[in-house]
Each structure stands twice: as structure tokens, then as C-alpha cells.
Amino acid sequence: AFRYRGRMGLAYTALIGGVAAQLAIPRLLGEAIDELLLLDSAEKGLIVTLGLIILSVFALRGILEFVRLYYSESISQRVAYDLRNSLYDTYQRLSFAYHDSEHTGNLMSKATADVDGVRRFISMGLVRSADIILLVTLTCTLMFLLNPPLALISLSFVPFLALRSSLVVRKLRGLWLGVQVLMGEMVTVLQENLSGMKVVKSFASEEYEKGRFARKTHELAEQGYLADKAEGANSAIMTFFFTLVTGFILWYGGRQGINGHITTGELVQFIAYMSVLQLPIRMTAFTVNTFSRAISS
């Protein structure tokens, strides 16, 4: 991927700009609400200006997000192209002994499914992981600057999520490695059946071959189900803890608002920051999954 440093730099530049625009929206939204509540002193023109600025920032963020996705996807496709060609060249240079001992289906699986696993990580994991780290770090900093007690409540679940993510990475790595191995075995069965179709029909072995292939696809489906189940459970647990913390914020922030320690706009701003934090928290599970699949591939 670092062979395409120029495109990578553009992707990360767009990422940083998009994060800055995304974090500016809660601040502008909170100020607009405070101005609306102070009707006696607020000017109508200021409210309209803040509204237009918020819309402009939304539009800018959308453009930067498109640029980031475009360049990250273009890098992933180029890396997949390089890997497939390099892998094919390697196949040509390997000895007869290697090809005699290795099933053709496994070699085909490496050039297709495994390369695609690496491509998905570069497209959705390599750049996305930097997005998650940057967004979480800056959002947490802004939350502490805005209201330290609320920030402590909000981030109380982060150590748990970090520990769980490390455990899930190990589990998913093993599960996806099993999927990749079974995929190679299934492709091997398919390749042997198709290449030897004349022999199969000569000995009327169609039913035997159908059962052989069905058993392998069943094993593959079961292994894939276990991997998807682990990924789904991880995502659900993260979402549950995020929702739970949001409820505590509303309760504690509401009490501070009643006591005059925080304005309505600041509370809305803080909740908006929590909404911003929700996406990278949820994407962490997906990124962990793509990382695990890439390692297995």
C-alpha cells in the first residue's frame, strides 16, 4: 500500500479534514441553541448565519468523505492487482514438487479469497482505523474541555471495550483462518470434480460427488456462521454499553442543567459529541473483523 504514498496522503488529508468538519458541527449546534434560547439578546441574522455555516460544514464533510473513500478504494484495488500478479508469478516459479503436494483449489483460493481479504482491509480497515483513532482522541479531548465530570462518565466504558476488542481479535483471527482453509478445500473439491467430470460420469459417481461437495460447503457455512456470530455479538455489546452511557449522561447532564452548571446548548453539544463517538465505537468491531480476516489471509 505504501507504494502509492501519494494517493495514501490524499486519503489521509481528506480524512483529517472530514474529522475536523465533523467535530465542528456539535460546537456550532450548541452555540445556535444557546442563541435561540436567549431571544431577547440574540439577533436573527446571527441565527441564520450559524444555520448556513452548519449546512456548509455538512456539505464540506460529505465532499471530503467522498474523496477519502475514492482514494482508499483506488489504493485497495491497485494493491489487489499487484498481489494477484505477484502471486501468479510465484506460482510459475515454484517447483513441480510443490505443485504436486499442493491442491489446485488451495492455490486458487489464495489468489481470490485471500487477496480479497487483504483488499478489504486496505479499503475499509487501514484508513478507517486512522479515522477511528483520530476521531476518538479529538472527541474525548473536546468532551473533557467542555465538561470533565460528564466526560469521565462517557469514557468509563472505554477500558472494557479495549479489553474486549483485543480478545475478539484473537478469536476472529482463528475463526477466519478456518474459513479461509475450508474455502480452499471446497474449491479443491469443485476443481477436481469439474476437471474429472468424464471419469465421474463414467463411474456414475454423481451422487457421491454431490454429497462430498455438500459436506464441505456445510463445514464452510458453519465456520462462517461462527465468525459472523462472534462479530455480531461484539458489535451488539458495544452498542449496548454506548446506549447505557448515553442514558447516564442525560440523567447527570440534566441535573447539572437544572442547577445551572451547564447550559442547554452545552448539554446538546455534549450529546452530539457522544453521537459522533458512536460511529467509531461501532466501526471498531467492523475494523477488528477486517483486520482479523486480513491476518488470516
Side-chain angles (χ1 to χ4, degrees), residues 154-204:
S154 305
L155 303 179
S156 59
F157 68 115
V158 170
F160 168 79
L161 295 182
L163 175 61
R164 177 166 180 81
S165 295
S166 64
L167 296 176
V168 169
V169 166
R170 294 182 181 180
K171 183 176 182 179
L172 283 175
R173 178 181 177 181
L175 290 172
W176 283 119
L177 180 60
V179 169
Q180 300 300 82
V181 171
L182 288 171
M183 178 67 73
E185 294 176 357
M186 184 198 71
V187 175
T188 297
V189 173
L190 180 62
Q191 184 269 334
E192 291 176 349
N193 177 268
L194 295 177
S195 62
M197 186 58 69
K198 291 183 180 180
V199 177
V200 172
K201 288 187 174 296
S202 298
F203 288 91

Side-chain angles (χ1 to χ4, degrees), residues 90-106:
T90 301
Y91 287 166
Q92 307 308 306
R93 294 193 301 269
L94 291 172
S95 64
F96 284 111
Y98 177 84
H99 285 287
D100 287 339
S101 62
E102 187 71 21
H103 292 292
T104 303
N106 287 334

